[in-house]
Amino acid sequence: MTFAQHDGTRAATQVVALGRPDRTPGAPVNVPVTLTSTYVADGEVSYARVSNPTWEALEEVLGALEGGVARVFASGLAAVAAVVGTVPAAGVVVVPRHVYSGTTALLAERVGAGALQVRAVDAEDVEGIVSACEGADLLMLESPTNPMMELTDVPAVMRGLLARYGARRPLVVCDNTFATPLGQQPLRWGVDAVVHSATKYLAGHSDVLLGAVVVAPDRVALQERVHTYRSLHGAIPGPMEAWLVLRGIRTLSVRLERASASAEVLVGRLEEHPAVQHVRYPGFGAMISVEVDGGAAAAEAVCAAARLWTHSTSLGGVESQLERRRRHAPEAGTVPDNLIRLSVGVEDVEDLWADLEEALRAAG
């Protein structure tokens, strides 16, 4: 199958236009869900664990958005596992202290098995990150960090790594789930690969699990390694899941624009609210973290009192979600007990504020 090409267009157009069949008369405008485990012999694909036309359409879109070669996985954590799988036995991974708790748990499991070593760093300390990479095999960045919303100066990190280590620098991977490729494209800064939990903003409707790794176009060996990992470990998405993410990504630009605008309004009001001690917002996107008066009990009470906001552990959906992150064991101990992570959806911002303000009042 071939897909329509729209070279030179902007990202808001690419999410709509790419990954579609060629425009021949009578052709459908959407790719089908290809439900097959088996292919006729002597073609490009021999078995469905290797590839699927529905995956390929989604991979075309993600690759174009990030500026690389995409491979989709069964979940975001499966995508993270694929890049962690590049680390040799007893190798070293450098990672910020505050990252997605699934990444933290996966690395802890690998450390416990004696498979690798981990060096934790401050996400905002460029020099500290570069220094920690001495002899490291993988630098796993996340910017903004989850849930502390810290930003890493990724271009400065890449310059520092090249200046200090040259070709001996570690593989650099950046989790781009929070920012999305509409917010930043780390491959353009020299990063080797990005990962996504496509479950979140890319799909956008809280109805599918899927992940992705997008590798820089000149890192051919890494592209092949990621593909081989997926095939051998069976970390493949179903074609229906790929189709749902492809459908969801069509509205990514408009969803993110609406949610980000609402987030900016909420940040301004939260900063003035007497029950809020501290607001963490990276300056773009639709993710906010707040620390509330009254400790963990008050934070839990806010989440329980919300009626429009959904008290849940995911993010990036059309519905607004909130959660006290330290309720989960893998979360870093340096994340405040009273921190609530907010994922702003596409509801009317005045309704969101009214519900959140009432929840803060009720918890007080």
Side-chain angles (χ1 to χ4, degrees):
M1 179 177 292
T2 59
F3 304 110
Q5 300 293 317
H6 293 268
D7 296 333
T9 54
R10 294 171 175 81
T13 300
Q14 290 176 340
V15 296
V16 177
L18 293 178
R20 296 189 184 273
D22 285 333
R23 292 180 178 176
T24 57
V29 297
N30 293 313
V31 297
V33 180
T34 302
L35 298 171
T36 188
S37 63
T38 307
Y39 293 88
V40 176
D42 300 324
E44 292 184 3
V45 179
S46 60
Y47 190 59
R49 190 161 27 85
V50 177
S51 192
N52 177 284
T54 315
W55 304 353
E56 293 168 5
L58 175 58
E59 289 169 346
E60 182 197 59
V61 180
L62 295 179
L65 290 172
E66 290 285 12
V69 177
R71 292 291 179 262
V72 291
F73 285 78
S75 68
L77 194 52
V80 172
V83 298
V84 172
T86 65
V87 179
V92 175
V93 178
V94 177
V95 65
R97 290 181 179 84
H98 305 127
V99 293
Y100 166 51
S101 60
T103 299
T104 300
L106 173 65
L107 291 174
E109 186 273 335
R110 293 286 77 205
V111 169
L116 53 81
Q117 306 169 59
V118 169
R119 297 173 187 163
V121 293
D122 179 349
E124 298 176 325
D125 181 3
V126 171
E127 180 57 33
I129 293 171
V130 173
S131 296
C133 286
E134 178 71 44
D137 300 283
L138 171 65
L139 170 59
M140 187 78 188
L141 296 174
E142 185 177 284
S143 183
T145 59
N146 179 6
M148 297 290 275
M149 307 301 162
E150 301 150 316
L151 290 174
T152 299
D153 187 341
V154 180
V157 168
M158 296 307 301
R159 289 194 297 270
L161 291 174
L162 289 171
R164 184 169 303 189
Y165 307 114
R168 297 182 297 109
R169 71 165 176 83
L171 181 74
V172 183
V173 178
C174 185
D175 188 326
N176 209 27
T177 299
F178 272 23
T180 84
L182 273 62
Q184 64 187 19
Q185 298 88 34
L187 298 184
R188 304 185 193 284
W189 299 329
V191 167
D192 300 299
V194 299
V195 296
H196 283 279
S197 174
T199 303
K200 311 304 194 297
Y201 282 107
L202 299 181
H205 291 78
S206 303
D207 56 5
V208 62
L209 288 177
L210 192 137
V213 179
V214 188
V215 180
D218 60 336
R219 298 301 304 270
V220 177
L222 181 59
Q223 295 166 20
E224 294 174 351
R225 193 166 183 181
V226 167
H227 193 179
T228 299
Y229 181 99
R230 180 179 71 178
S231 299
L232 293 181
H233 289 255
I236 61 171
M240 190 67 209
E241 284 75 11
W243 187 88
L244 284 169
V245 175
L246 187 58
R247 183 180 67 170
I249 208 170
R250 302 304 186 196
T251 60
L252 173 62
S253 180
V254 292
R255 285 188 284 106
L256 196 58
E257 181 179 357
R258 171 64 175 263
S260 299
S262 293
E264 292 184 8
V265 173
L266 295 174
V267 165
R269 296 178 184 181
L270 287 164
E271 287 176 338
E272 300 299 323
H273 198 283
V276 176
Q277 294 178 351
H278 186 53
V279 178
R280 298 176 180 272
Y281 181 61
F284 68 99
M287 297 299 302
I288 309 167
S289 287
V290 297
E291 295 162 38
V292 297
D293 286 335
E300 290 286 354
V302 170
C303 295
R307 293 293 175 262
L308 179 58
W309 292 75
T310 301
H311 186 193
S312 59
T313 194
S314 194
L315 60 100
V318 291
E319 67 285 337
S320 294
Q321 300 161 269
L322 79 175
E323 183 184 40
R324 187 180 78 88
R325 289 302 301 167
R326 281 289 298 281
R327 61 169 30 215
H328 299 291
E331 202 65 76
T334 47
V335 172
D337 276 336
N338 62 340
L339 182 142
I340 301 172
R341 188 185 68 191
L342 307 172
S343 171
V344 182
V346 300
E347 305 94 337
D348 187 280
V349 68
E350 296 302 332
D351 291 332
L352 289 174
W353 175 244
D355 188 52
L356 191 55
E357 189 176 37
E358 176 59 25
L360 288 165
R361 185 199 64 76

